[in-house]
Amino acid sequence: MKNKSSIESGFRIVNLILLENNFKRLPNVVFNNEEVQQEVNVDVDVQIKDNKTIFVNEKLIFKQIFKDKTQVEATIIMVGVFEKFGESDLDLEEFGQVNGAAIIFPYIREHLTSLSAKAGLGLILLPPVNLTARKK
């Protein structure tokens, strides 16, 4: 008799790698002002190897702008390596664009939050990003 709680097919993360990390801030950053704007852009690129391994390259570009001057900016690129096992009906490209990107994003959010704290800015907490809406 099979154990019903065991997973027979799906995807697993094999590795998560920080590829790039650029962070800049001005010496005097304005806080707590209604005119401060934050821009968050996320780009996802998916590569598939041997119809089994999915490489999800996720890039975050963050900017905090006050009066048309960028005061804080960060670029963070992480790649997640995922492996398909068993027979999954989910398209590999779709998995990478949506599920894989959603798995990686919290690590990118945490990295930016940690960088902002170390830079003396307090915590930059990114808003959630709807990765399903980005689906091609």
Side-chain angles (χ1 to χ4, degrees):
M1 186 162 131
K2 286 185 178 180
N3 180 353
K4 291 185 180 183
S5 67
S6 69
I7 299 174
E8 296 179 11
S9 66
F11 298 87
R12 69 179 138 243
I13 189 162
V14 176
N15 206 350
L16 182 65
I17 304 163
L18 176 64
L19 292 182
E20 183 178 325
N21 176 52
N22 292 307
F23 184 89
K24 291 192 267 182
R25 65 160 285 179
L26 295 180
N28 297 313
V29 176
V30 174
F31 299 96
N32 301 322
N33 188 304
E34 293 177 2
E35 294 181 45
V36 171
Q37 299 175 359
Q38 291 184 342
E39 293 179 4
V40 178
N41 294 302
V42 178
D43 186 40
V44 177
D45 180 56
V46 177
Q47 302 292 321
I48 300 165
K49 181 180 175 190
D50 300 328
N51 205 31
K52 180 181 175 185
T53 306
I54 306 108
F55 298 89
V56 181
N57 189 316
E58 190 161 350
K59 179 179 184 176
L60 168 82
I61 298 175
F62 171 86
K63 291 183 181 180
Q64 182 169 308
I65 301 164
F66 180 67
K67 295 189 176 183
D68 295 326
K69 184 153 184 140
T70 300
Q71 296 190 324
V72 179
E73 65 183 308
T75 301
I76 300 168
I77 302 175
M78 286 191 170
V79 65
V81 181
F82 298 87
E83 183 178 72
K84 175 185 170 186
F85 61 94
E87 295 300 320
S88 176
D89 293 335
L90 190 57
D91 177 73
L92 300 183
E93 175 76 23
E94 183 177 343
F95 170 83
Q97 287 289 335
V98 178
N99 302 66
I103 291 167
I104 297 168
F105 192 69
Y107 293 96
I108 292 174
R109 288 176 72 180
E110 184 281 327
H111 188 68
L112 180 60
T113 300
S114 178
L115 286 172
S116 66
K118 290 175 183 176
L121 296 171
L123 302 179
I124 294 175
L125 301 171
L126 293 179
V129 173
N130 184 349
L131 295 162
T132 304
R134 297 183 67 264
K135 185 171 68 170
K136 293 180 178 179

